[in-house]
Amino acid sequence: MRNRSSGRLRFIGQWLKNPRQTASVTPSSPELAAAMLAELPAHTTRVIELGGGTGAITHALVDHGIAGKHLLVLELNAHLHAHLHTQFPGEGAVLGDAAELPRLAAEAGFLDAGPADAVISGLGLLAMNRRHVKRILEGAFACLRPDGRFIQFSYGPMSPVPDSVLQPLGLSMRRGEFVLRNVPPATVWVYQRSQSKAVIPRSVNR
Ligand SMILES: C[S@@+](CC[C@H](N)C(=O)[O-])C[C@H]1O[C@@H](n2cnc3c(N)ncnc32)[C@H](O)[C@@H]1O
């Protein structure tokens, strides 16, 4: 409980400094974290988290048994990254931009054991320009197994990844749970490769 309160304060402090990048005033609730994890493919063992923040979803992943070298967490904010690194010394917390994921994941050695089963993202995609969103999705699917999932939450009513990004990448989307018990309420979205289309460079997939 004390951890959650200090996480909230830390988050508000970073939001005041950079509201656009932080994208939320408070960390995700346990209910939202659970709704995100409910979308993990069956038998998931390896996950990449984008935008770890103060670790609200990271905690849920570790509790779910996805930890150590099977979990890679990216965070762009140096202050939040340092906090994640202290909270999760055994997990791979990396400071960097999600748009650079294939390079960062390779440098961290995460891809040595093969692609991830899922990418879980708390990034504020709605505040990013389309080119940045496309780079993030492209990079994420280059690190995912062929039927891997990109799981995202968003505070708006529409998919935070527009059709103009999904279609060229051959991705399909599905709306997951709407979580009222979060500030603000949020919807989970799941993106996957469409079965009929090949996607993305396969350089890092094995
Ligand atoms: C809405 S918060 C979510 C934090 C946490 N996952 C949660 O659910 O409470 C978004 C996080 O993404 C980070 N972020 C924003 N842009 C990023 C980027 N390009 N690459 C990596 N992290 C980024 C922010 O610093 C912030 O910690």
Side-chain angles (χ1 to χ4, degrees), residues 52-177:
T54 49
I57 294 177
T58 321
H59 268 294
L61 285 165
V62 171
D63 286 351
H64 193 71
I66 295 157
K69 62 181 187 332
H70 300 300
L71 177 59
L72 179 75
V73 186
L74 254 60
E75 174 52 58
L76 186 59
N77 176 310
H79 177 82
L80 294 175
H81 167 259
H83 174 70
L84 281 171
H85 197 64
T86 310
Q87 291 274 306
F88 305 98
E91 282 65 49
V94 169
L95 176 65
D97 187 339
E100 302 288 328
L101 175 63
R103 180 179 61 78
L104 295 169
E107 283 173 5
F110 182 84
L111 296 172
D112 292 350
D117 301 306
V119 172
I120 282 211
S121 165
L123 299 172
L125 297 183
L126 291 174
M128 295 179 186
N129 70 50
R130 219 162 266 204
R131 266 179 51 194
H132 203 183
V133 173
K134 184 164 181 262
R135 263 189 77 195
I136 289 170
L137 268 285
E138 218 163 13
F141 278 91
C143 296
L144 276 168
R145 72 185 206 202
D147 61 343
R149 295 181 183 173
F150 185 97
I151 304 163
Q152 171 76 44
F153 68 78
S154 182
Y155 306 126
M158 310 290 283
S159 161
V161 184
D163 270 351
S164 59
V165 170
L166 293 177
Q167 281 192 2
L169 297 180
L171 301 177
S172 60
M173 70 166 174
R174 174 168 62 74
R175 190 192 292 256
E177 192 181 334

